[in-house]
Amino acid sequence: MSGALEPTKLGERQAQHRRALSKWDREHKKPDPAIFKREIWPKLKSLQVITLVRATGLSYSYCNHIKNGRMVPHPRWWLKLRDLS
């Protein structure tokens, strides 16, 4: 496979990601998504999608949705994204 993860490695990575999000949710109060839209998202519009991918490890497709304002990422990523701008 060229660049794709094997199904078992992909499943392991997804499970690890879900555990990290659950841990974050237990330890933090979830902020209002309007904060992301108002304070972080406008600064991401000038960045390349690959910059978001490299900063977060999220997929290119998901980061493209974030950059174009179609998705608000989990708050776990907000600080990393804010620091890019």
Side-chain angles (χ1 to χ4, degrees), residues 31-51:
D32 182 351
I35 295 169
F36 178 85
K37 286 288 209 173
R38 182 180 61 246
E39 298 177 13
I40 301 170
W41 177 70
K43 298 173 183 176
L44 300 179
K45 292 190 282 186
S46 65
L47 301 176
Q48 293 183 344
V49 175
I50 195 66
T51 303

Side-chain angles (χ1 to χ4, degrees), residues 5-32:
L5 292 174
E6 296 175 30
T8 55
K9 291 189 188 248
L10 178 60
E12 290 169 12
R13 182 174 173 182
Q14 290 171 337
Q16 180 183 19
H17 179 70
R18 284 190 302 275
R19 285 191 299 273
L21 292 180
S22 293
K23 182 178 187 289
W24 192 97
D25 288 340
R26 283 191 306 275
E27 296 173 356
H28 299 85
K29 181 181 176 193
K30 203 163 196 172
D32 182 351

Side-chain angles (χ1 to χ4, degrees), residues 48-61 63-64 81:
Q48 293 183 344
V49 175
I50 195 66
T51 303
L52 280 63
V53 171
R54 289 180 180 145
T56 62
L58 298 170
S59 74
Y60 188 94
S61 175
C63 287
N64 191 44
L81 293 170

